[in-house]
Amino acid sequence: MNNKNKKQKNESRRAFVQKTAMATGALLTLPMGVEGMARVNGNQKLKLALVGCGGRGSGAAVQAIIADENVELVAMADAFGDRIERSLKGIQDYFDGEKKINVKEKNRFVGFDAYKKAIDLADVVILTTPPGFRPYHFEYAIANDKHVFMEKPVATDPVGIRKVLATAKIAKEKKLNVVVGLQRHYQSKYIDLKNRIDAGEIGKIRSGQVYWNDAGVWVKKRKPGQSELEYQMRNWYYFNWLCGDHILEQHIHNIDVANWFIGDYPVSAQGMGGRQVRNGKDHGEIFDHHFVEFTYASGAVISSQCRHIPGTMSRVDEVFQGTRGNIETSKGQITDLEGILQYKYSKKEANYDTASNVNEDPNPYQVEHDKLFASIRSGGVISDAENGAKSTLSAILGRMATYTGKKITFDQALNSKLHLMPSEVTWDSVPPSLPDINGNYPIPTPGKTKFI
Amino acid sequence: MRLFLTQSSVFYFSLTWILTTLFIGTGVGVAQYENYQEQVPGSNAMLPMVYIEAGTFKMGSQKSEKGHFGDEGPQHTASIDGFWMGQFEITWDLYNLFVSREIDGNQVIKTTSNEAQVNVDAVSGATTPYVEMSFGMGIDNYPAICMTQLAAVKFCEWLSAMTGNFYRLPTEAEWEYACRAGSETAYSFGDDSSQLIDYAWYGENSNEKYQKVGTKKPNPLGLYDMHGNVAEWTLDQYIPTAYRKRNKSVINPLEEGEKIYPKVVRGGSWMDNPNRLRSAARRPSSKKWKRRDPQIPKSKWWHTDAPFVGFRVVRPLKTPSDQEQKKYWKYELTD
């Protein structure tokens, strides 16, 4: 099949998929033979494209190259050329001549539409831009039959979530592998604890506390000559259309563990939050703390707290109380209802002893790619996108609860018309949030901010 | 050892005071430099410093010592100039002042009498880590961990800029000299590792986490946690055969090296067996201490996989020139 035919076929399938999804939302049936496109012969070279060339994307590219002997990084895309050059140098420096990494200059694509050009050249794509873009990039990658590694969160608004869910179904049907960077699912300790929960070691989970409390992350100052859009793109952590707030961007890991261990998604959420300390003009529109109560169908309640305030108690952890015992993930331990230790995960997570690698756990960030490429080679299908979308939505639900001060249900969130991320962004686009004449952005206010 | 001063000693601490004691010191042939508490301007953070007088000691260990490793020999004599050393490992309370850089405006106004002239604006700052680096083990009065050697070096430069006094990491020789505190045994209290429980936090008693600094017995110089709690950065490049290349007697040895890895850490940690806590035990740093850093380039400032490494600072009695100071702080290397 030549490229032109392939493209036409893809387009018609996409149209078909969209119609079907809109009309019924039912499971899709696809034309025969589609799965063949996704399959890769044993040792055939796999071409890799990196879309979003920040530190995490560059790290993921390195892990992909390590994961499989016959992977070649052929294309890179970013909104900014300097990010691509820095990323490529970082990847080259990492391999230090051990592997030749050379992306042709003509295959380094800059701009908002760069992702399409890079994805077109690849078999496997890494999607690591700020999360707001993810649904659109994921949709394009799957429409064009690419295997995907994408970072969490997978969207910043429900419109994006619905797109990811629809695309996840298509990916499954096409037997395309999709790994989402919720790396606790690929971390030995968490897998071990999850197996123990499923084996009934703590009974049924009734409550839990999940935390991402620390000092916060980087801030990029506004530079003279920057357009508002460029400034927001550089300082993206602080703008909801791009980032979704830290309850989404970081704390999703812990909320996702709650969902995973309970085996369900929350039915509703209510909570509180605000910006007490990190509230300058450089800090866009996001909160610096959220405290949310998630209620599950079983009646289990999870308290979720995330805080970005220096000098306060730091904790990144997940703790659960079951009908027979308790579990604390950071310590990797299970206690009974009297608090007596029943089990302790014993492998060392940190490699201290450089002389011997005894008891060393594998690096979960590497495992993600090891599994992805092994699955591609063996014709398997990893389908992380649906959970990625639903855990992302859980965090969005939490954000909706703290921003509005109302109790919101999962279904309300799923069907919400909130549309933060423009469907298309160009350098002429006006960002969805703009500062007032004093340089301050509109801040969500509980009781006033409406649920949309 | 000199009387340890109370907190009020900070008020006595001034250049005049130093000069005065210096004269007295040379006069009587016995060092009179006193311990003091450094206060970081713009904060309540106190940094008690213990004076370690100049002297010679046997560096390394003999094959007959239980747990001896090849890199600890041959034993040789090292002469060390006088210096002050932090009584405790640097805590998160102090380290976070360097990470957040919110009190920089309070740096001392430098005059020619200050040991260090560096301006705080010129000191590069550690990035905020994406993951929480205390791993839930505690902040208040707990030792800072997971910093790279570069970050520890830059903390010293920052502290110097803030206070006007010259601080740096200890050399490996200074560290061992201070740790031994005159002892020639495996530990500063003797050879019996069963006594470690009184002096150190290590694998068997740490409950799998670091502990508050200064909660076990100090060594004869008044230094706490030289054995255990967190392993401590030194300035030296780790060269397993370094001692073999040295003369029988050396003065202020320092293995300078441009390579980021391996550097020497000393003292063992809360994760270790007693063997690793011995005064002579040396351990190389490794690139693998950043194994799980998900970013490329990996952070210059944080070792995601080294929750066992921290540091303490020293201030040499003889202040090096501005040029030499920069050498101790340079390390503008990346990996």
Side-chain angles (χ1 to χ4, degrees):
Chain A
M1 192 192 310
N2 67 33
N3 283 341
K4 201 180 162 198
N5 283 342
K6 192 172 170 181
K7 201 175 166 213
Q8 280 169 351
K9 197 170 176 194
N10 283 336
E11 276 169 3
S12 63
R13 182 169 58 247
R14 244 159 90 204
F16 166 74
V17 162
Q18 280 164 355
K19 270 183 210 152
T20 318
M22 275 187 286
T24 65
L27 258 176
L28 299 165
T29 29
L30 286 163
M32 292 299 287
V34 165
E35 62 199 71
M37 294 198 292
R39 189 163 293 159
V40 172
N41 297 330
N43 286 329
Q44 169 195 330
K45 179 188 282 180
L46 290 170
K47 288 177 282 179
L48 179 71
L50 172 58
V51 177
C53 301
R56 181 72 270 271
S58 312
V62 163
Q63 281 138 9
I65 293 165
I66 292 172
D68 190 286
E69 281 200 340
N70 205 2
V71 171
E72 187 188 354
L73 180 61
V74 298
M76 300 171 82
D78 199 282
F80 300 110
D82 61 296
R83 302 295 315 215
I84 293 179
E85 298 313 313
R86 197 192 309 173
S87 168
L88 182 57
K89 184 172 182 309
I91 296 167
Q92 287 167 337
D93 288 352
Y94 181 87
F95 289 108
D96 197 21
E98 281 171 33
K99 283 198 175 188
K100 205 176 145 205
I101 311 292
N102 187 23
V103 178
K104 288 178 193 156
E105 248 181 274
K106 68 178 173 72
N107 293 342
R108 302 176 204 166
F109 303 104
V110 179
F112 287 104
D113 61 349
Y115 73 98
K116 291 185 181 172
K117 299 170 196 163
I119 289 171
D120 285 347
L121 296 175
D123 304 305
V124 185
V125 300
I126 291 172
L127 306 179
T128 44
T129 61
F133 295 101
R134 197 89 69 249
Y136 304 90
H137 295 181
F138 180 48
E139 179 183 46
Y140 186 81
I142 294 303
N144 289 283
D145 305 322
K146 313 301 181 186
H147 299 281
V148 172
F149 170 83
M150 61 177 170
E151 263 303 340
K152 42 42 68 178
V154 300
T156 56
D157 59 26
V159 174
I161 293 292
R162 293 194 290 270
K163 190 179 284 294
V164 173
L165 284 171
T167 306
K169 279 183 187 166
I170 301 165
K172 224 180 211 176
E173 289 293 324
K174 288 184 169 188
K175 297 197 174 2
L176 290 166
N177 285 276
V178 181
V179 168
V180 172
L182 289 163
Q183 79 279 354
R184 282 160 174 78
H185 291 264
Y186 293 86
Q187 189 169 344
S188 308
K189 180 168 76 173
Y190 281 90
I191 294 166
D192 176 52
L193 295 176
K194 166 67 173 164
N195 289 339
R196 287 170 187 281
I197 289 170
D198 288 351
E201 291 192 21
I202 67 163
K204 203 164 164 59
I205 292 175
R206 303 306 302 144
S207 59
Q209 298 76 38
V210 298
Y211 310 84
W212 194 304
N213 292 342
D214 69 4
V217 301
W218 47 265
V219 178
K220 299 265 194 273
K221 296 224 181 294
R222 193 186 289 273
K223 286 187 180 154
Q226 271 178 341
S227 69
E228 179 63 27
L229 180 60
E230 180 178 355
Y231 166 67
Q232 293 196 16
M233 285 288 290
R234 297 277 188 186
N235 197 28
W236 63 265
Y237 208 93
Y238 300 92
F239 297 95
N240 278 327
W241 62 288
L242 292 165
C243 165
D245 204 323
H246 67 112
I247 188 175
L248 184 57
E249 209 283 331
Q250 277 190 322
H251 191 39
I252 182 178
H253 283 297
N254 320 102
I255 296 169
D256 171 63
V257 169
N259 293 344
W260 184 29
F261 281 11
I262 289 173
D264 200 0
Y265 300 93
V267 173
S268 67
Q270 73 85 27
M272 53 188 76
R275 36 191 272 155
Q276 177 74 23
V277 174
R278 186 175 63 189
N279 53 15
K281 289 172 189 173
D282 286 332
H283 305 138
E285 57 189 351
I286 71 172
F287 280 4
D288 62 9
H289 64 283
H290 304 254
F291 197 122
V292 181
E293 237 173 43
F294 288 104
T295 302
Y296 291 73
S298 66
V301 177
I302 299 293
S303 299
S304 123
Q305 45 181 300
C306 58
R307 176 171 61 196
H308 277 184
I309 300 181
T312 58
M313 182 197 82
S314 290
R315 186 171 189 184
V316 178
D317 203 352
E318 302 93 13
V319 183
F320 302 95
Q321 296 81 39
T323 50
R324 292 182 56 200
N326 315 297
I327 204 160
E328 187 169 349
T329 61
S330 62
K331 294 184 174 154
Q333 66 186 33
I334 292 174
T335 54
D336 66 14
L337 294 178
E338 305 302 322
I340 310 292
L341 186 68
Q342 299 298 308
Y343 172 74
K344 171 95 184 163
Y345 182 78
S346 61
K347 281 192 185 168
K348 285 200 174 70
E349 295 235 294
N351 172 47
Y352 184 12
D353 199 333
T354 52
S356 68
N357 296 335
V358 181
N359 259 349
E360 182 182 312
D361 263 356
N363 174 2
Y365 296 103
Q366 185 59 51
V367 176
E368 289 173 337
H369 291 271
D370 292 349
K371 298 250 187 209
L372 171 63
F373 282 90
S375 181
I376 294 170
R377 291 288 185 200
S378 66
V381 184
I382 300 173
S383 305
D384 286 352
E386 183 183 344
N387 176 65
K390 288 183 175 171
S391 276
T392 299
L393 186 66
S394 306
I396 291 174
L397 170 66
R399 183 188 71 203
M400 288 172 156
T402 62
Y403 280 9
T404 62
K406 312 275 190 209
K407 179 179 164 182
I408 317 271
T409 68
F410 192 86
D411 285 343
Q412 279 178 309
L414 181 61
N415 296 309
S416 153
K417 294 192 169 57
L418 183 67
H419 192 182
L420 299 172
M421 184 71 198
S423 303
E424 199 181 353
V425 184
T426 70
W427 284 116
D428 298 324
S429 301
V430 177
S433 291
L434 291 170
D436 64 18
I437 50 166
N438 298 316
N440 296 311
Y441 294 86
I443 306 300
T445 308
K448 294 196 171 141
T449 297
K450 297 272 179 263
F451 171 79
I452 296 169
Chain B
M1 195 52 216
R2 261 104 315 265
L3 173 77
F4 196 77
L5 295 186
T6 61
Q7 291 212 345
S8 60
S9 66
V10 69
F11 300 113
Y12 297 102
F13 176 62
S14 68
L15 185 89
T16 330
W17 175 76
I18 288 285
L19 287 178
T20 315
T21 48
L22 194 142
F23 276 115
I24 297 164
T26 34
V28 295
V30 177
Q32 295 291 311
Y33 314 106
E34 298 200 43
N35 302 336
Y36 66 94
Q37 299 224 29
E38 185 66 279
Q39 184 175 22
V40 184
S43 81
N44 297 322
M46 291 291 208
L47 184 57
M49 300 294 294
V50 173
Y51 186 70
I52 318 284
E53 60 190 87
T56 59
F57 80 111
K58 280 189 198 157
M59 185 164 182
S61 66
Q62 292 188 327
K63 279 186 188 160
S64 55
E65 184 171 299
K66 199 183 161 207
H68 167 92
F69 279 92
D71 63 356
E72 297 165 19
Q75 237 181 12
H76 53 288
T77 302
S79 299
I80 307 293
D81 291 342
F83 61 97
W84 286 269
M85 182 178 244
Q87 192 177 20
F88 305 108
E89 291 154 342
I90 295 293
T91 59
W92 279 116
D93 315 74
L94 276 160
Y95 194 71
N96 281 337
L97 295 173
F98 163 66
V99 176
S100 70
R101 300 294 291 265
E102 284 168 2
I103 59 163
D104 284 12
N106 298 289
Q107 69 171 320
V108 295
I109 295 159
K110 314 270 185 340
T111 67
T112 50
S113 59
N114 284 110
E115 294 175 1
Q117 297 297 324
V118 62
N119 190 300
V120 76
D121 294 342
V123 183
S124 48
T127 49
T128 313
Y130 184 81
V131 293
E132 195 280 301
M133 283 293 176
S134 72
F135 294 97
M137 294 191 284
I139 300 289
D140 295 341
N141 270 324
Y142 287 100
I145 52 165
C146 291
M147 73 293 292
T148 58
Q149 196 220 29
L150 170 72
V153 161
K154 288 293 165 188
F155 173 91
C156 295
E157 184 180 12
W158 172 81
L159 183 63
S160 304
M162 291 300 290
T163 63
N165 295 322
F166 172 68
Y167 289 97
R168 61 167 168 79
L169 287 182
T171 66
E172 191 181 2
E174 287 167 342
W175 192 96
E176 185 172 330
Y177 177 57
C179 176
R180 289 189 172 281
S183 69
E184 294 187 4
T185 44
Y187 308 98
S188 59
F189 52 81
D191 284 318
D192 180 7
S193 65
S194 70
Q195 285 183 50
L196 264 179
I197 198 150
D198 296 327
Y199 291 90
W201 296 106
Y202 62 114
E204 287 163 31
N205 69 352
S206 67
N207 196 20
E208 301 190 14
K209 64 184 286 295
Y210 59 49
Q211 300 291 336
K212 289 191 177 184
V213 301
T215 51
K216 290 286 184 182
K217 285 185 187 171
N219 79 356
L221 289 170
L223 301 168
Y224 289 86
D225 303 309
M226 293 298 282
H227 301 301
N229 209 18
V230 292
E232 300 176 14
W233 283 114
T234 70
L235 280 173
D236 294 55
Q237 191 85 54
Y238 174 80
I239 303 169
T241 55
Y243 299 178
R244 280 183 225 166
K245 292 170 189 156
R246 286 183 189 170
N247 294 326
K248 277 192 170 166
S249 167
V250 288
I251 299 167
N252 297 319
L254 165 63
E255 301 297 338
E256 291 180 75
E258 293 299 309
K259 287 198 214 128
I260 299 175
Y261 306 107
K263 301 286 190 194
V264 179
V265 301
R266 288 298 208 115
S269 81
W270 58 272
M271 294 173 81
D272 280 316
N273 296 323
N275 195 24
R276 290 288 188 185
L277 274 66
R278 289 174 306 110
S279 302
R282 316 170 66 205
R283 175 153 259 176
S285 67
S286 162
K287 198 173 184 171
K288 295 185 84 174
W289 293 4
K290 292 183 185 174
R291 203 169 61 105
R292 284 182 302 173
D293 184 341
Q295 310 251 339
I296 291 288
K298 292 184 186 256
S299 174
K300 280 160 60 173
W301 304 102
W302 299 99
H303 275 304
T304 43
D305 296 84
F308 46 80
V309 77
F311 69 107
R312 71 180 75 214
V313 300
V314 298
R315 176 181 168 209
L317 180 61
K318 189 172 160 235
T319 305
S321 69
D322 286 359
Q323 210 55 36
E324 287 171 311
Q325 289 183 16
K326 288 200 180 100
K327 206 180 67 180
Y328 289 111
W329 297 329
K330 64 168 189 186
Y331 298 96
E332 292 293 358
L333 306 167
T334 56
D335 60 346

